[in-house]
Amino acid sequence: MNEPAYSITPMRPADIDDVMRVEIACFPNPWAPNTFLQELERAQAHIDVLRRNADAQVVGFINHWVVLDELHLLNVAIHPDERRRGHARKLIQHMLAFGRQAACRVVMLEVRRSNEAALALYREFGFRSVGVRPGYYSDNGEDAILMNLDLPPSP
């Protein structure tokens, strides 16, 4: 049997340089390395990395919080060189399975109004728009679309 080409594992502090490489390539206002390291210390925060098994390189990550029975998606990022391969979909599936296991009933997120690819991906999973945060993004004042997904328990 062939070994999978990629694996999803919890982020470790040693992953910070790889995570920052993805973060800087993906976001106009990247988080500082210390912000990620602080996230690793928060009980509610979970950062999982997508690692290419051949060279152990981190090519993407997902950051989500569990708050009571809610799952909050903060960020999902795939390095531009690795996009269009289903990686974001795998990370979201992984997060949703985690949320079900944690007995979360709803998943919430904010996404830039202009991020049509992300909006389409979230809709594929059944997320629905539930509101707008006007001027949410500080870099350009762009609105955020609020999206929710009801998360029934696993059968």
Side-chain angles (χ1 to χ4, degrees), residues 37-53:
L37 296 174
Q38 288 172 350
E39 281 290 283
L40 293 177
E41 300 298 320
R42 295 182 201 280
Q44 75 272 20
H46 304 274
I47 304 175
D48 297 307
V49 296
L50 179 70
R51 189 180 311 276
R52 188 172 44 230
N53 290 337

Side-chain angles (χ1 to χ4, degrees), residues 4-145:
Y6 296 85
S7 56
I8 298 172
T9 59
M11 181 185 168
R12 307 172 311 230
D15 295 323
I16 191 63
D17 289 342
D18 284 348
V19 167
M20 287 308 302
R21 185 178 55 80
V22 174
E23 175 78 1
I24 290 166
C26 292
F27 297 109
N29 287 324
W31 284 9
N34 196 45
T35 304
F36 282 99
L37 296 174
Q38 288 172 350
E39 281 290 283
L40 293 177
E41 300 298 320
R42 295 182 201 280
Q44 75 272 20
H46 304 274
I47 304 175
D48 297 307
V49 296
L50 179 70
R51 189 180 311 276
R52 188 172 44 230
N53 290 337
D55 59 6
Q57 182 75 46
V58 171
V59 300
F61 66 86
I62 192 165
N63 183 11
H64 49 97
W65 285 13
V66 174
V67 179
L68 301 173
D69 61 351
E70 300 172 351
L71 185 60
H72 295 257
L73 173 56
L74 279 71
N75 288 314
V76 60
I78 304 298
H79 192 279
D81 295 344
E82 290 280 338
R83 290 185 182 158
R84 311 288 313 156
R85 299 179 189 182
H87 295 324
R89 187 172 283 103
K90 288 176 193 161
L91 284 169
I92 293 169
Q93 288 168 337
H94 176 82
M95 178 198 67
L96 294 176
F98 179 90
R100 285 185 182 96
Q101 192 172 32
C104 294
R105 63 175 180 78
V106 65
V107 187
M108 297 178 240
L109 61 87
E110 292 103 0
V111 60
R112 287 178 185 268
R113 184 184 294 276
S114 65
N115 193 342
E116 294 178 17
L119 286 162
L121 178 61
Y122 297 140
R123 287 184 184 120
E124 283 181 33
F125 279 97
F127 282 87
R128 65 191 187 290
S129 299
V130 296
V132 175
R133 291 193 197 278
Y136 181 77
Y137 292 98
S138 61
D139 63 322
N140 65 359
E142 185 173 359
D143 296 346
I145 305 297

